[in-house]
Amino acid sequence: KKPFSATIDNMRTKSKTSLVLQNMHESKLALFAVCQHIPGANDEDISGNALINVASFVMEFLLESQTMCDDIEHELAKLHTGCLHFLGEVFDSLFARKADISAEPQIELEANSRHTFLDGLMKTFNMTTSIVFNGAIEGHSEQRVSASLRTSIFNTMVIYSQSCTTEDRRLALFASELLPALLKWVNEGSIDDDIRHPLCVAAALQVVYTILAKLASFDWVSTLCNESELNFVRLTIRCALKSLCSEEGAGIISPLRLAAMKVLLTVIANKQNLAECIEPDKIRQAVAAVRGAS
């Protein structure tokens, strides 16, 4: 804990001494040790709070590192990579454990298990999704999380999804926890330069595309999500069309429109009967948008 807190303090004061480099190096080693510990930790191990403390350091470091680019940039970059790797380890461990514990999408925790390692994993996942959707870290609302940092976290979700196999249920459980909230976030507001920055929405849609392409069907929705497959598919199409027809990058293949097209084409490949999911005028709108970007 000491090198973590020292690293954050040094970053806040913009200190550039050799001790700062030493603290960063020690933080990197400590974070590596935590990542090595995560896969083998017992679900009921009373270390959930310790994991949350590490997650809090990771989020604070990522937040503070947004404004630092000096002669310690190399060490910053290495620790930044380690922080994103930590999040990937949390995703992997949480959903592997969920797959082992139950086929159900939700795990109800007993009151006496609120500080367990499994609880720490779940809270870290919830903390991560809250940051990418809200653009702020709890307790640091005065500091906005940049679009580039949120995009990096979305990219970590893509990398994790790519590492999954469909047979072990990890990916379907990950999808059931993440995609309904992610699609709701994309759908609820207009694309802007803040909460729904075009880069963030594009990265989010890349997560959707990667997961849907790997799962290759929507069979998991009705069994793992609290909504119908039809409603989920409709929401996915609505989000893709909204981004595809956005003014952002109109007339060109922007990252946002490219991601939207990939999602739309994946839905078409996974869902044979689209007639019940999308109105004819929406299809014409999508075709016109694709032609306009080609």
Side-chain angles (χ1 to χ4, degrees):
K1 185 176 180 181
K2 184 177 179 180
F4 289 157
S5 58
T7 295
I8 295 299
D9 289 342
N10 289 328
M11 293 178 72
R12 285 173 178 164
T13 59
K14 304 278 192 285
S15 179
K16 301 180 182 180
T17 66
S18 59
L19 182 58
V20 175
L21 291 175
Q22 180 64 25
N23 286 333
M24 282 195 180
H25 182 67
E26 291 177 358
S27 294
K28 185 179 64 174
L29 293 178
L31 192 59
F32 176 78
V34 172
C35 290
Q36 294 296 107
H37 171 72
I38 287 175
N42 188 290
D43 288 354
E44 302 305 317
D45 187 18
I46 309 299
S47 58
N49 285 341
L51 184 66
I52 292 297
N53 288 336
V54 176
S56 295
F57 160 76
V58 165
M59 300 309 178
E60 287 190 50
F61 174 84
L62 292 174
L63 183 63
E64 295 294 337
S65 66
Q66 295 178 129
T67 59
M68 294 190 70
C69 52
D70 46 33
D71 54 356
I72 59 172
E73 185 176 358
H74 183 59
E75 284 299 320
L76 273 172
K78 289 192 289 187
L79 189 49
H80 186 278
T81 299
C83 288
L84 294 177
H85 177 70
F86 166 81
L87 296 179
E89 287 292 335
V90 168
F91 300 158
D92 184 56
S93 185
L94 173 60
F95 291 101
R97 292 164 194 263
K98 282 199 166 194
D100 289 340
I101 290 173
S102 172
E104 297 300 320
Q106 304 291 333
I107 299 174
E108 296 296 334
L109 296 175
E110 299 295 334
N112 62 2
S113 68
R114 286 179 296 183
H115 303 296
T116 64
F117 194 78
L118 179 60
D119 183 47
L121 290 171
M122 294 176 68
K123 286 179 178 176
T124 301
F125 174 77
N126 292 336
M127 184 190 308
T128 305
T129 56
S130 175
I131 288 168
V132 293
F133 295 154
N134 299 320
I137 295 176
E138 186 176 354
H140 300 271
S141 57
E142 72 286 353
Q143 286 181 276
R144 301 300 297 169
V145 179
S146 67
S148 61
L149 175 53
R150 292 160 65 207
T151 297
S152 295
I153 297 175
F154 277 126
N155 289 342
T156 300
M157 295 176 178
V158 169
I159 292 170
Y160 168 65
S161 301
Q162 291 171 334
S163 73
C164 292
T165 62
T166 56
E167 292 79 11
D168 63 9
R169 289 177 60 81
R170 287 183 302 156
L171 187 58
L173 287 165
F174 182 56
S176 70
E177 291 280 357
L178 177 64
L179 293 194
L182 186 154
L183 292 169
K184 182 180 179 182
W185 171 74
V186 172
N187 184 61
E188 279 185 339
S190 59
I191 294 172
D192 53 35
D193 290 328
D194 186 22
I195 297 299
R196 292 171 185 82
H197 191 283
L199 290 178
C200 295
V201 177
L205 291 178
Q206 183 66 29
V207 175
V208 177
Y209 159 72
T210 304
I211 292 175
L212 295 185
K214 290 213 70 169
L215 290 176
S217 79
F218 293 100
D219 296 342
W220 53 275
V221 176
S222 58
T223 56
L224 297 178
C225 297
N226 294 321
E227 61 181 299
S228 69
E229 177 181 325
L230 178 59
N231 287 340
F232 180 86
V233 173
R234 282 176 173 169
L235 179 58
T236 305
I237 293 173
R238 193 180 309 131
C239 290
L241 289 176
K242 171 185 175 181
S243 300
L244 185 61
C245 301
S246 167
E247 293 297 320
E248 171 66 26
I252 63 171
I253 301 292
S254 67
L256 176 60
R257 305 186 92 203
L258 178 59
M261 281 191 282
K262 289 163 70 175
V263 169
L264 192 57
L265 291 174
T266 303
V267 171
I268 292 172
N270 290 356
K271 186 74 174 176
Q272 298 302 314
N273 182 18
L274 280 180
E276 60 182 1
C277 303
I278 182 172
E279 301 84 356
D281 64 316
K282 292 293 184 182
I283 296 178
R284 289 190 291 270
Q285 183 183 15
V287 170
V290 171
R291 285 177 176 171
S294 59

PDB file of all heavy atoms in Angstrom, residues 152-176:
ATOM      1  N   SER A 152      -9.245   3.677 -23.688  1.00  0.00           N
ATOM      2  CA  SER A 152      -8.277   2.638 -23.320  1.00  0.00           C
ATOM      3  C   SER A 152      -8.932   1.539 -22.491  1.00  0.00           C
ATOM      4  O   SER A 152      -8.630   0.355 -22.661  1.00  0.00           O
ATOM      5  CB  SER A 152      -7.114   3.256 -22.528  1.00  0.00           C
ATOM      6  OG  SER A 152      -6.371   4.143 -23.319  1.00  0.00           O
ATOM      7  N   ILE A 153      -9.835   1.934 -21.600  1.00  0.00           N
ATOM      8  CA  ILE A 153     -10.532   0.939 -20.770  1.00  0.00           C
ATOM      9  C   ILE A 153     -11.478   0.106 -21.632  1.00  0.00           C
ATOM     10  O   ILE A 153     -11.571  -1.123 -21.478  1.00  0.00           O
ATOM     11  CB  ILE A 153     -11.281   1.626 -19.617  1.00  0.00           C
ATOM     12  CG1 ILE A 153     -10.280   2.330 -18.691  1.00  0.00           C
ATOM     13  CG2 ILE A 153     -12.112   0.611 -18.837  1.00  0.00           C
ATOM     14  CD1 ILE A 153     -10.919   3.145 -17.578  1.00  0.00           C
ATOM     15  N   PHE A 154     -12.194   0.759 -22.543  1.00  0.00           N
ATOM     16  CA  PHE A 154     -13.032  -0.001 -23.478  1.00  0.00           C
ATOM     17  C   PHE A 154     -12.179  -0.981 -24.290  1.00  0.00           C
ATOM     18  O   PHE A 154     -12.589  -2.121 -24.540  1.00  0.00           O
ATOM     19  CB  PHE A 154     -13.772   0.946 -24.424  1.00  0.00           C
ATOM     20  CG  PHE A 154     -15.035   1.538 -23.862  1.00  0.00           C
ATOM     21  CD1 PHE A 154     -15.238   2.921 -23.851  1.00  0.00           C
ATOM     22  CD2 PHE A 154     -16.045   0.727 -23.363  1.00  0.00           C
ATOM     23  CE1 PHE A 154     -16.405   3.479 -23.349  1.00  0.00           C
ATOM     24  CE2 PHE A 154     -17.225   1.273 -22.851  1.00  0.00           C
ATOM     25  CZ  PHE A 154     -17.396   2.651 -22.839  1.00  0.00           C
ATOM     26  N   ASN A 155     -10.997  -0.546 -24.706  1.00  0.00           N
ATOM     27  CA  ASN A 155     -10.111  -1.428 -25.471  1.00  0.00           C
ATOM     28  C   ASN A 155      -9.660  -2.623 -24.639  1.00  0.00           C
ATOM     29  O   ASN A 155      -9.451  -3.721 -25.173  1.00  0.00           O
ATOM     30  CB  ASN A 155      -8.897  -0.643 -25.981  1.00  0.00           C
ATOM     31  CG  ASN A 155      -9.249   0.324 -27.088  1.00  0.00           C
ATOM     32  OD1 ASN A 155     -10.296   0.207 -27.719  1.00  0.00           O
ATOM     33  ND2 ASN A 155      -8.390   1.303 -27.336  1.00  0.00           N
ATOM     34  N   THR A 156      -9.497  -2.420 -23.337  1.00  0.00           N
ATOM     35  CA  THR A 156      -9.175  -3.537 -22.443  1.00  0.00           C
ATOM     36  C   THR A 156     -10.313  -4.550 -22.431  1.00  0.00           C
ATOM     37  O   THR A 156     -10.086  -5.767 -22.387  1.00  0.00           O
ATOM     38  CB  THR A 156      -8.909  -3.011 -21.017  1.00  0.00           C
ATOM     39  OG1 THR A 156      -7.801  -2.104 -21.047  1.00  0.00           O
ATOM     40  CG2 THR A 156      -8.593  -4.156 -20.062  1.00  0.00           C
ATOM     41  N   MET A 157     -11.550  -4.062 -22.496  1.00  0.00           N
ATOM     42  CA  MET A 157     -12.709  -4.957 -22.574  1.00  0.00           C
ATOM     43  C   MET A 157     -12.702  -5.747 -23.889  1.00  0.00           C
ATOM     44  O   MET A 157     -13.058  -6.928 -23.924  1.00  0.00           O
ATOM     45  CB  MET A 157     -14.002  -4.150 -22.453  1.00  0.00           C
ATOM     46  CG  MET A 157     -14.192  -3.477 -21.110  1.00  0.00           C
ATOM     47  SD  MET A 157     -15.696  -2.436 -21.072  1.00  0.00           S
ATOM     48  CE  MET A 157     -15.651  -1.844 -19.381  1.00  0.00           C
ATOM     49  N   VAL A 158     -12.292  -5.088 -24.971  1.00  0.00           N
ATOM     50  CA  VAL A 158     -12.195  -5.767 -26.265  1.00  0.00           C
ATOM     51  C   VAL A 158     -11.159  -6.873 -26.192  1.00  0.00           C
ATOM     52  O   VAL A 158     -11.399  -8.015 -26.631  1.00  0.00           O
ATOM     53  CB  VAL A 158     -11.823  -4.765 -27.384  1.00  0.00           C
ATOM     54  CG1 VAL A 158     -11.468  -5.512 -28.674  1.00  0.00           C
ATOM     55  CG2 VAL A 158     -12.968  -3.796 -27.632  1.00  0.00           C
ATOM     56  N   ILE A 159     -10.001  -6.565 -25.641  1.00  0.00           N
ATOM     57  CA  ILE A 159      -8.917  -7.557 -25.537  1.00  0.00           C
ATOM     58  C   ILE A 159      -9.362  -8.740 -24.688  1.00  0.00           C
ATOM     59  O   ILE A 159      -9.099  -9.894 -25.028  1.00  0.00           O
ATOM     60  CB  ILE A 159      -7.655  -6.896 -24.947  1.00  0.00           C
ATOM     61  CG1 ILE A 159      -7.080  -5.886 -25.933  1.00  0.00           C
ATOM     62  CG2 ILE A 159      -6.602  -7.953 -24.607  1.00  0.00           C
ATOM     63  CD1 ILE A 159      -5.984  -5.022 -25.363  1.00  0.00           C
ATOM     64  N   TYR A 160     -10.053  -8.454 -23.575  1.00  0.00           N
ATOM     65  CA  TYR A 160     -10.553  -9.559 -22.754  1.00  0.00           C
ATOM     66  C   TYR A 160     -11.545 -10.414 -23.539  1.00  0.00           C
ATOM     67  O   TYR A 160     -11.481 -11.649 -23.507  1.00  0.00           O
ATOM     68  CB  TYR A 160     -11.219  -9.031 -21.480  1.00  0.00           C
ATOM     69  CG  TYR A 160     -11.982 -10.109 -20.763  1.00  0.00           C
ATOM     70  CD1 TYR A 160     -11.313 -11.194 -20.217  1.00  0.00           C
ATOM     71  CD2 TYR A 160     -13.372 -10.084 -20.695  1.00  0.00           C
ATOM     72  CE1 TYR A 160     -12.010 -12.222 -19.593  1.00  0.00           C
ATOM     73  CE2 TYR A 160     -14.070 -11.101 -20.071  1.00  0.00           C
ATOM     74  CZ  TYR A 160     -13.385 -12.164 -19.534  1.00  0.00           C
ATOM     75  OH  TYR A 160     -14.067 -13.188 -18.934  1.00  0.00           O
ATOM     76  N   SER A 161     -12.465  -9.773 -24.250  1.00  0.00           N
ATOM     77  CA  SER A 161     -13.464 -10.511 -25.030  1.00  0.00           C
ATOM     78  C   SER A 161     -12.803 -11.395 -26.077  1.00  0.00           C
ATOM     79  O   SER A 161     -13.232 -12.533 -26.313  1.00  0.00           O
ATOM     80  CB  SER A 161     -14.428  -9.532 -25.708  1.00  0.00           C
ATOM     81  OG  SER A 161     -15.088  -8.724 -24.759  1.00  0.00           O
ATOM     82  N   GLN A 162     -11.763 -10.893 -26.700  1.00  0.00           N
ATOM     83  CA  GLN A 162     -11.052 -11.665 -27.714  1.00  0.00           C
ATOM     84  C   GLN A 162     -10.361 -12.882 -27.113  1.00  0.00           C
ATOM     85  O   GLN A 162     -10.152 -13.888 -27.802  1.00  0.00           O
ATOM     86  CB  GLN A 162     -10.030 -10.782 -28.430  1.00  0.00           C
ATOM     87  CG  GLN A 162     -10.652  -9.714 -29.310  1.00  0.00           C
ATOM     88  CD  GLN A 162      -9.635  -8.726 -29.841  1.00  0.00           C
ATOM     89  OE1 GLN A 162      -8.589  -8.503 -29.240  1.00  0.00           O
ATOM     90  NE2 GLN A 162      -9.939  -8.101 -30.979  1.00  0.00           N
ATOM     91  N   SER A 163     -10.015 -12.800 -25.839  1.00  0.00           N
ATOM     92  CA  SER A 163      -9.310 -13.913 -25.192  1.00  0.00           C
ATOM     93  C   SER A 163     -10.246 -15.022 -24.743  1.00  0.00           C
ATOM     94  O   SER A 163      -9.793 -16.117 -24.407  1.00  0.00           O
ATOM     95  CB  SER A 163      -8.529 -13.397 -23.976  1.00  0.00           C
ATOM     96  OG  SER A 163      -9.408 -13.075 -22.895  1.00  0.00           O
ATOM     97  N   CYS A 164     -11.552 -14.749 -24.712  1.00  0.00           N
ATOM     98  CA  CYS A 164     -12.531 -15.728 -24.221  1.00  0.00           C
ATOM     99  C   CYS A 164     -12.875 -16.765 -25.284  1.00  0.00           C
ATOM    100  O   CYS A 164     -12.791 -16.514 -26.481  1.00  0.00           O
ATOM    101  CB  CYS A 164     -13.815 -15.025 -23.795  1.00  0.00           C
ATOM    102  SG  CYS A 164     -13.654 -14.001 -22.335  1.00  0.00           S
ATOM    103  N   THR A 165     -13.317 -17.913 -24.802  1.00  0.00           N
ATOM    104  CA  THR A 165     -13.934 -18.900 -25.686  1.00  0.00           C
ATOM    105  C   THR A 165     -15.406 -18.978 -25.320  1.00  0.00           C
ATOM    106  O   THR A 165     -15.793 -18.672 -24.183  1.00  0.00           O
ATOM    107  CB  THR A 165     -13.292 -20.292 -25.508  1.00  0.00           C
ATOM    108  OG1 THR A 165     -13.498 -20.738 -24.152  1.00  0.00           O
ATOM    109  CG2 THR A 165     -11.799 -20.245 -25.792  1.00  0.00           C
ATOM    110  N   THR A 166     -16.233 -19.353 -26.262  1.00  0.00           N
ATOM    111  CA  THR A 166     -17.679 -19.402 -25.990  1.00  0.00           C
ATOM    112  C   THR A 166     -18.060 -20.608 -25.151  1.00  0.00           C
ATOM    113  O   THR A 166     -19.103 -20.614 -24.508  1.00  0.00           O
ATOM    114  CB  THR A 166     -18.465 -19.445 -27.315  1.00  0.00           C
ATOM    115  OG1 THR A 166     -18.018 -20.564 -28.089  1.00  0.00           O
ATOM    116  CG2 THR A 166     -18.246 -18.167 -28.104  1.00  0.00           C
ATOM    117  N   GLU A 167     -17.214 -21.629 -25.117  1.00  0.00           N
ATOM    118  CA  GLU A 167     -17.561 -22.865 -24.424  1.00  0.00           C
ATOM    119  C   GLU A 167     -17.592 -22.722 -22.906  1.00  0.00           C
ATOM    120  O   GLU A 167     -18.360 -23.395 -22.222  1.00  0.00           O
ATOM    121  CB  GLU A 167     -16.574 -23.985 -24.802  1.00  0.00           C
ATOM    122  CG  GLU A 167     -16.671 -24.464 -26.244  1.00  0.00           C
ATOM    123  CD  GLU A 167     -15.977 -23.516 -27.217  1.00  0.00           C
ATOM    124  OE1 GLU A 167     -15.248 -22.605 -26.735  1.00  0.00           O
ATOM    125  OE2 GLU A 167     -16.178 -23.661 -28.428  1.00  0.00           O
ATOM    126  N   ASP A 168     -16.744 -21.848 -22.348  1.00  0.00           N
ATOM    127  CA  ASP A 168     -16.649 -21.777 -20.885  1.00  0.00           C
ATOM    128  C   ASP A 168     -17.606 -20.767 -20.251  1.00  0.00           C
ATOM    129  O   ASP A 168     -17.523 -20.504 -19.061  1.00  0.00           O
ATOM    130  CB  ASP A 168     -15.211 -21.490 -20.459  1.00  0.00           C
ATOM    131  CG  ASP A 168     -14.696 -20.135 -20.946  1.00  0.00           C
ATOM    132  OD1 ASP A 168     -15.506 -19.350 -21.472  1.00  0.00           O
ATOM    133  OD2 ASP A 168     -13.488 -19.887 -20.807  1.00  0.00           O
ATOM    134  N   ARG A 169     -18.473 -20.185 -21.024  1.00  0.00           N
ATOM    135  CA  ARG A 169     -19.525 -19.290 -20.554  1.00  0.00           C
ATOM    136  C   ARG A 169     -19.031 -17.941 -20.052  1.00  0.00           C
ATOM    137  O   ARG A 169     -19.838 -17.063 -19.740  1.00  0.00           O
ATOM    138  CB  ARG A 169     -20.366 -19.957 -19.439  1.00  0.00           C
ATOM    139  CG  ARG A 169     -21.264 -21.072 -19.933  1.00  0.00           C
ATOM    140  CD  ARG A 169     -22.000 -21.711 -18.778  1.00  0.00           C
ATOM    141  NE  ARG A 169     -22.838 -20.765 -18.066  1.00  0.00           N
ATOM    142  CZ  ARG A 169     -24.050 -20.374 -18.443  1.00  0.00           C
ATOM    143  NH1 ARG A 169     -24.568 -20.843 -19.540  1.00  0.00           N
ATOM    144  NH2 ARG A 169     -24.755 -19.539 -17.704  1.00  0.00           N
ATOM    145  N   ARG A 170     -17.724 -17.742 -19.963  1.00  0.00           N
ATOM    146  CA  ARG A 170     -17.226 -16.455 -19.474  1.00  0.00           C
ATOM    147  C   ARG A 170     -17.734 -15.295 -20.321  1.00  0.00           C
ATOM    148  O   ARG A 170     -18.182 -14.275 -19.797  1.00  0.00           O
ATOM    149  CB  ARG A 170     -15.694 -16.434 -19.468  1.00  0.00           C
ATOM    150  CG  ARG A 170     -15.023 -17.244 -18.394  1.00  0.00           C
ATOM    151  CD  ARG A 170     -13.513 -17.061 -18.462  1.00  0.00           C
ATOM    152  NE  ARG A 170     -12.994 -17.446 -19.774  1.00  0.00           N
ATOM    153  CZ  ARG A 170     -11.861 -16.997 -20.293  1.00  0.00           C
ATOM    154  NH1 ARG A 170     -11.120 -16.133 -19.621  1.00  0.00           N
ATOM    155  NH2 ARG A 170     -11.446 -17.404 -21.471  1.00  0.00           N
ATOM    156  N   LEU A 171     -17.663 -15.467 -21.640  1.00  0.00           N
ATOM    157  CA  LEU A 171     -18.009 -14.364 -22.529  1.00  0.00           C
ATOM    158  C   LEU A 171     -19.498 -14.034 -22.460  1.00  0.00           C
ATOM    159  O   LEU A 171     -19.883 -12.857 -22.456  1.00  0.00           O
ATOM    160  CB  LEU A 171     -17.607 -14.685 -23.964  1.00  0.00           C
ATOM    161  CG  LEU A 171     -17.759 -13.535 -24.962  1.00  0.00           C
ATOM    162  CD1 LEU A 171     -16.948 -12.325 -24.523  1.00  0.00           C
ATOM    163  CD2 LEU A 171     -17.333 -13.972 -26.357  1.00  0.00           C
ATOM    164  N   ALA A 172     -20.343 -15.067 -22.415  1.00  0.00           N
ATOM    165  CA  ALA A 172     -21.782 -14.822 -22.328  1.00  0.00           C
ATOM    166  C   ALA A 172     -22.140 -14.126 -21.021  1.00  0.00           C
ATOM    167  O   ALA A 172     -22.983 -13.218 -20.994  1.00  0.00           O
ATOM    168  CB  ALA A 172     -22.555 -16.137 -22.455  1.00  0.00           C
ATOM    169  N   LEU A 173     -21.495 -14.519 -19.924  1.00  0.00           N
ATOM    170  CA  LEU A 173     -21.750 -13.867 -18.643  1.00  0.00           C
ATOM    171  C   LEU A 173     -21.241 -12.429 -18.644  1.00  0.00           C
ATOM    172  O   LEU A 173     -21.896 -11.523 -18.115  1.00  0.00           O
ATOM    173  CB  LEU A 173     -21.089 -14.671 -17.517  1.00  0.00           C
ATOM    174  CG  LEU A 173     -21.775 -15.998 -17.177  1.00  0.00           C
ATOM    175  CD1 LEU A 173     -20.873 -16.876 -16.326  1.00  0.00           C
ATOM    176  CD2 LEU A 173     -23.100 -15.760 -16.478  1.00  0.00           C
ATOM    177  N   PHE A 174     -20.076 -12.213 -19.234  1.00  0.00           N
ATOM    178  CA  PHE A 174     -19.538 -10.861 -19.385  1.00  0.00           C
ATOM    179  C   PHE A 174     -20.496 -10.001 -20.201  1.00  0.00           C
ATOM    180  O   PHE A 174     -20.802  -8.860 -19.837  1.00  0.00           O
ATOM    181  CB  PHE A 174     -18.171 -10.947 -20.067  1.00  0.00           C
ATOM    182  CG  PHE A 174     -17.468  -9.630 -20.255  1.00  0.00           C
ATOM    183  CD1 PHE A 174     -17.202  -8.799 -19.178  1.00  0.00           C
ATOM    184  CD2 PHE A 174     -17.039  -9.230 -21.519  1.00  0.00           C
ATOM    185  CE1 PHE A 174     -16.534  -7.588 -19.348  1.00  0.00           C
ATOM    186  CE2 PHE A 174     -16.371  -8.025 -21.703  1.00  0.00           C
ATOM    187  CZ  PHE A 174     -16.119  -7.204 -20.607  1.00  0.00           C
ATOM    188  N   ALA A 175     -20.987 -10.576 -21.301  1.00  0.00           N
ATOM    189  CA  ALA A 175     -21.931  -9.853 -22.160  1.00  0.00           C
ATOM    190  C   ALA A 175     -23.204  -9.498 -21.407  1.00  0.00           C
ATOM    191  O   ALA A 175     -23.726  -8.380 -21.523  1.00  0.00           O
ATOM    192  CB  ALA A 175     -22.257 -10.705 -23.387  1.00  0.00           C
ATOM    193  N   SER A 176     -23.718 -10.433 -20.618  1.00  0.00           N
ATOM    194  CA  SER A 176     -24.979 -10.200 -19.903  1.00  0.00           C
ATOM    195  C   SER A 176     -24.844  -9.107 -18.851  1.00  0.00           C
ATOM    196  O   SER A 176     -25.798  -8.377 -18.559  1.00  0.00           O
ATOM    197  CB  SER A 176     -25.478 -11.495 -19.256  1.00  0.00           C
ATOM    198  OG  SER A 176     -24.638 -11.880 -18.174  1.00  0.00           O
TER     199      SER A 176
END
